[in-house]
Amino acid sequence: EHAYPADELMPLTCRGRVRGQEPSRGDVDDALGKFSLTLIDSLDTLVVLNKTKEFEDAVRKVLRDVNLDNDVVVSVFETNIRVLGGLLGGHSLAIMLKEKGEYMQWYNDELLQMAKQLGYKLLPAFNTTSGLPYPRINLKFGIRKPEARTGTETDTCTACAGTLILEFAALSRFTGATIFEEYARKALDFLWEKRQRSSNLVGVTINIHTGDWVRKDSGVGAGIDSYYEYLLKAYVLLGDDSFLERFNTHYDAIMRYISQPPLLLDVHIHKPMLNARTWMDALLAFFPGLQVLKGDIRPAIETHEMLYQVIKKHNFLPEAFTTDFRVHWAQHPLRPEFAESTYFLYKATGDPYYLEVGKTLIENLNKYARVPCGFAAMKDVRTGSHEDRMDSFFLAEMFKYLYLLFADKEDIIFDIEDYIFTTEAHLLPLWLSTTNQRISKKNTTSEYTELDDSNFDWTCPNTQILFPNDPLYAQSIREPLKNVVDKSCPRGIIRVREESFRSGAKPPLRARDFMATNPEHLEILKKMGAASSIDAEDGLRFMQEMIELSSQQQKEQQLPPRAVQIVSHPFFGRVVLTAGPAQFGLDLSKHKETRGFVASSKPYNGCSELTNPEAVMGKIALIQRGQCMFAEKARNIQNAGAIGGIVIDDNEGSSSDTAPLFQMAGDGKDTDDITIPMLFLFSKEGSIILDAIREYEEVEVLLSDKAKDR
């Protein structure tokens, strides 16, 4: 209704996102290839939801309208998991429906032919000495040609190179063209060869030509996540024992170094006992689901419960949060990983608690993310403000997992157990394991570390063995963690040498206690990193803390974002705009929110006495940025009787999606005379209010430090 045939929906402005027509968002836009991304990505979701007629119509649209030969540079990783995976998932369910005899009787592998065409378009990316693919490719011109505008990159992320085997192997097995599986296997083989041998961990980014690790931190979140996922799932789908052996070797290292229950903290691959950072990113929320597939349920329950406590505190999982559960990055682009893990934990345990978790997710989506044209990403979970963004994975994954969580077996028209989920939740049939097996497998069994036999499970976990008649098993694990976020984590970010403290040794110097005038402190500082490995560890922690302390002090000088919430018909509080604060006027964090209808000031720049005081009296005045100081604008609208002011940026096209938070400064004079709240909106967010005035005339907004309940 609002976006087709664009790649994605922009739910606040009710239009399609077309690459090149909107301000660039950097790497995020590399998922967009002018190939109706959301439609392809959500094809198999329609079948899961039993929308077979809509699925048939959607497939016809894809075949009729989608062009894969566009002159656009796209991410190899995103195009593989979303578009190639979407076409293969659509094909898998199309042939299933055709066999059932009611729908798709006309279908003759057309989606598979499109997938094969796309597969060949991605193959030039693998033209490297290592076999690791370039991170980007031009759909029309490939790599390294002048018109391709890509092929000069040297680095890629581990997940980018290691999340290909399911889609590429499925394409090979479906079509009989072995080249796709061969290329994906070669990339995985290279990553395995380059693992850090002493720790059996991999880094976040790697040089695609030399194989040197560029970023040597290691975790289970962004940059690495789906590499581990695809090793285990490649074993499930393809039946190749070497993939399970690699996964188990890595998993043993993850549980030894990265897992600090209930946390999962990045470490250095060469010094895995040292944490590389003191925050976690939202993408690691997939890991409990993978642990369920592995059969390691206890740590899955622990980490999932910790994440749920964070969600209950902020309504959504922030893009990153610290070890004491403060917001590190405040965005939330409606990621589905937590819903995915919730679904798998419910499947494994049958515990109705996870239905309650799913209910909370749905309620929060409807309460905080639903807008008139769809669901909007959260710009800031602290204020509840929105971003004009609804990624394709929201329909491809979030809808699918939440529906499956609550669906009874008879609600699904096929047996979901006959399929495996890709990282984008696309469905590939397990019978592919016995189809077109013509790939020569490298014998690398001798390379695997000797592990405890219990780490090698050759079959999928059986819940009857895991939970023999004990419905309270999961609850007993969750119970100690139910207040973990409120109490903060009971475990330190660095493994503290408790026994040395008990023996009477002084605890190490902490950054918050350091005084440059204290000679003892200076002496301790000199020793750090020199005398012993313990001193070196203390020194590294001290430096980390000093950096964080400095960063925190800088943040404290910055006021947090505010929210402008449109509360009148037909919005009813569902649209929340990220607003910049002012260093003067009413502090919305300390006072009640201000609510009122909006009116444009005349002159619009607000730089002189208003000529329409009757129009702004008792209302929130809209003013344009420029030509005078912000404080002067505030005084002029306040003198005209306005109860608040919104300054709209005069730089056309500016947006909170792409620009950092803007803070309005005073004029260098005493501003205590300004008593009304003042907020700043970039051009794009301001236009949403101006467009609403044109369409509905009377528009009422709420100015606050945080969005209120709809």
Side-chain angles (χ1 to χ4, degrees):
E1 184 181 342
H2 298 292
Y4 187 78
D7 282 318
E8 288 180 345
L9 169 69
M10 298 171 67
L12 296 183
T13 49
C14 299
R15 66 179 192 268
R17 183 181 294 281
V18 179
R19 195 162 172 187
Q21 294 182 15
E22 303 293 333
S24 172
R25 300 175 298 168
D27 292 350
V28 175
D29 283 341
D30 288 343
L32 312 180
K34 299 182 179 178
F35 36 34
S36 296
L37 173 64
T38 299
L39 180 65
I40 291 176
D41 211 4
S42 54
L43 282 176
D44 51 8
T45 300
L46 290 169
V47 183
V48 170
L49 269 56
N50 202 4
K51 301 283 186 182
T52 43
K53 177 67 171 63
E54 290 84 349
F55 171 72
E56 192 156 1
D57 293 342
V59 172
R60 290 185 189 276
K61 276 192 172 70
V62 169
L63 300 180
R64 184 188 70 213
D65 299 338
V66 171
N67 177 22
L68 298 173
D69 197 39
N70 300 312
D71 179 12
V72 58
V73 176
V74 296
S75 160
V76 172
F77 167 76
E78 297 290 357
T79 304
N80 172 63
I81 65 171
R82 299 201 207 189
V83 186
L84 184 58
L87 292 170
L88 291 171
H91 170 69
S92 299
L93 297 188
I95 57 177
M96 178 275 297
L97 288 172
K98 185 176 181 178
E99 285 175 9
K100 283 180 175 288
E102 184 177 354
Y103 293 97
M104 303 299 292
Q105 296 306 297
W106 54 269
Y107 182 70
N108 193 27
D109 294 352
E110 288 89 348
L111 290 177
L112 180 60
Q113 295 311 311
M114 285 185 73
K116 189 175 181 181
Q117 178 193 357
L118 181 59
Y120 278 119
K121 284 184 171 295
L122 295 178
L123 285 186
F126 293 82
N127 189 19
T128 60
T129 52
S130 66
L132 298 180
Y134 283 97
R136 297 175 187 84
I137 194 165
N138 187 301
L139 288 174
K140 190 177 186 69
F141 298 111
I143 291 282
R144 301 194 71 154
K145 298 174 187 173
E147 60 268 39
R149 305 184 304 284
T150 188
T152 57
E153 304 95 336
T154 57
D155 306 337
T156 194
C157 73
T158 299
C160 301
T163 310
L164 298 156
I165 186 65
L166 293 189
E167 293 82 2
F168 272 47
L171 184 56
S172 286
R173 303 292 175 101
F174 272 130
T175 64
T178 59
I179 188 170
F180 304 108
E181 185 172 341
E182 287 168 358
Y183 275 42
R185 280 179 178 268
K186 185 180 177 185
L188 274 181
D189 289 345
F190 190 83
L191 289 172
W192 171 250
E193 293 288 339
K194 291 298 177 180
R195 75 192 184 283
Q196 214 293 318
R197 298 298 175 109
S198 62
S199 65
N200 280 320
L201 294 172
V202 292
V204 174
T205 53
I206 190 170
N207 186 298
I208 58 177
H209 303 296
T210 66
D212 295 331
W213 291 110
V214 179
R215 272 188 55 190
K216 299 173 184 176
D217 44 321
S218 184
V220 296
I224 302 179
D225 48 3
S226 47
Y227 162 67
Y228 293 135
E229 178 186 1
Y230 271 36
L231 285 177
L232 181 55
K233 289 184 175 180
Y235 164 67
V236 176
L237 182 66
L238 306 177
D240 186 338
D241 293 350
S242 70
F243 289 129
L244 180 63
E245 290 167 339
R246 293 182 196 185
F247 172 79
N248 278 324
T249 302
H250 284 312
Y251 188 77
D252 183 69
I254 290 167
M255 299 310 290
R256 189 185 303 264
Y257 303 120
I258 294 168
S259 176
Q260 299 177 39
L263 310 182
L264 292 162
L265 291 176
D266 283 23
V267 298
H268 298 276
I269 57 174
H270 296 293
K271 296 180 179 178
M273 296 304 289
L274 286 178
N275 293 123
R277 64 189 191 193
T278 58
W279 49 272
M280 294 166 279
D281 66 72
L283 284 167
L284 61 74
F286 91 100
F287 198 66
L290 188 64
Q291 290 179 305
V292 169
L293 190 60
K294 154 74 180 163
D296 199 2
I297 303 292
R298 174 178 284 274
I301 292 170
E302 290 174 335
T303 297
H304 180 275
E305 181 61 21
M306 177 270 293
L307 294 169
Y308 184 44
Q309 299 299 328
V310 175
I311 288 171
K312 288 203 287 190
K313 184 173 183 176
H314 300 293
N315 298 321
F316 297 98
L317 198 60
E319 199 68 334
F321 55 93
T322 61
T323 51
D324 55 356
F325 308 110
R326 287 178 291 110
V327 172
H328 186 69
W329 295 335
Q331 312 97 297
H332 173 74
L334 306 182
R335 291 201 185 279
E337 285 77 14
F338 181 77
E340 173 186 356
S341 286
T342 303
Y343 165 66
F344 285 116
L345 271 169
Y346 179 64
K347 291 286 285 185
T349 65
D351 189 335
Y353 175 82
Y354 295 109
L355 296 178
E356 289 300 315
V357 173
K359 182 183 174 187
T360 300
L361 296 182
I362 292 170
E363 287 174 347
N364 287 351
L365 284 170
N366 280 321
K367 192 172 183 182
Y368 302 112
R370 193 164 198 154
V371 294
C373 292
F375 290 82
M378 307 307 296
K379 177 72 176 174
D380 192 312
V381 297
R382 296 164 299 189
T383 64
S385 57
H386 289 135
E387 193 172 349
D388 201 4
R389 169 182 181 184
M390 192 179 91
D391 291 80
S392 66
F393 53 66
F394 181 68
L395 296 180
E397 299 184 71
M398 184 74 89
F399 267 36
K400 195 177 288 164
Y401 284 125
L402 288 177
Y403 180 82
L404 289 171
L405 176 64
F406 292 98
D408 294 323
K409 193 156 189 173
E410 57 270 20
D411 295 328
I412 306 166
I413 60 173
F414 61 98
D415 190 350
I416 202 83
E417 304 295 341
D418 290 339
Y419 296 80
I420 192 165
F421 290 97
T422 70
T423 196
E424 190 77 3
H426 293 307
L427 294 161
L428 299 176
L430 292 173
W431 54 256
L432 288 174
S433 62
T434 57
T435 304
N436 287 323
Q437 297 184 66
R438 291 185 291 175
I439 308 295
S440 59
K441 300 171 185 175
K442 186 177 175 185
N443 184 7
T444 52
T445 309
S446 61
E447 299 178 22
Y448 300 104
T449 309
E450 191 67 33
L451 298 173
D452 180 359
D453 283 350
S454 65
N455 203 36
F456 286 83
D457 295 321
W458 300 97
T459 58
C460 292
N462 184 312
T463 54
Q464 287 306 308
I465 295 171
L466 290 169
F467 314 110
N469 302 315
D470 185 4
L472 298 179
Y473 176 81
Q475 182 183 336
S476 67
I477 297 172
R478 288 193 305 267
E479 193 64 28
L481 298 167
K482 66 180 182 181
N483 297 317
V484 68
V485 170
D486 292 332
K487 291 180 180 176
S488 192
C489 182
R491 198 165 166 179
I493 60 169
I494 300 288
R495 296 178 174 97
V496 180
R497 303 176 308 284
E498 294 175 4
E499 64 280 357
S500 67
F501 298 168
R502 283 196 292 269
S503 65
K506 283 186 178 180
L509 178 64
R510 309 308 296 262
R512 62 177 177 267
D513 303 323
F514 175 70
M515 293 178 64
T517 55
N518 186 322
E520 188 181 351
H521 287 187
L522 292 173
E523 190 59 35
I524 295 172
L525 209 57
K526 280 181 190 174
K527 285 177 61 183
M528 284 181 178
S532 69
S533 61
I534 289 177
D535 288 333
E537 190 174 319
D538 290 343
L540 181 62
R541 186 196 57 250
F542 184 84
M543 286 188 291
Q544 285 178 336
E545 290 178 348
M546 285 299 281
I547 292 168
E548 284 177 34
L549 207 57
S550 170
S551 170
Q552 188 60 35
Q553 286 168 349
Q554 288 175 10
K555 284 179 185 173
E556 284 169 1
Q557 294 165 12
Q558 290 282 322
L559 293 171
R562 305 292 188 225
V564 175
Q565 192 169 5
I566 307 178
V567 295
S568 52
H569 171 83
F571 303 96
F572 300 120
R574 292 199 298 261
V575 172
V576 185
L577 308 173
T578 299
Q583 295 175 348
F584 53 85
L586 185 74
D587 185 348
L588 289 167
S589 66
K590 297 176 181 174
H591 296 85
K592 195 170 182 286
E593 68 274 1
T594 297
R595 179 171 179 156
F597 289 92
V598 295
S600 294
S601 59
K602 292 183 182 177
Y604 190 31
N605 60 31
C607 289
S608 59
E609 184 179 341
L610 266 58
T611 60
N612 65 334
E614 70 290 340
V616 301
M617 173 77 73
K619 295 183 179 178
I620 295 169
L622 302 179
I623 335 156
Q624 189 174 49
R625 180 184 185 181
Q627 300 181 32
C628 65
M629 303 294 283
F630 293 118
E632 185 178 344
K633 297 175 189 287
R635 289 189 181 98
N636 287 331
I637 64 169
Q638 180 174 283
N639 291 339
I643 61 171
I646 298 173
V647 178
I648 297 175
D649 195 10
D650 60 345
N651 180 16
E652 192 174 342
S654 65
S655 165
S656 67
D657 296 350
T658 54
L661 182 72
F662 183 81
Q663 189 167 281
M664 294 187 288
D667 54 6
K669 304 171 189 172
D670 185 0
T671 54
D672 288 348
D673 59 313
I674 302 173
T675 58
I676 61 173
M678 295 290 295
L679 296 182
F680 177 88
L681 291 179
F682 284 109
S683 169
K684 180 183 168 185
E685 285 75 18
S687 295
I688 292 173
I689 292 180
L690 295 174
D691 290 345
I693 292 173
R694 279 190 284 272
E695 187 163 352
Y696 305 107
E697 294 185 6
E698 290 203 326
V699 174
E700 189 178 15
V701 301
L702 193 70
L703 311 185
S704 63
D705 66 327
K706 186 175 183 178
K708 307 305 173 189
D709 285 353
R710 278 53 168 172

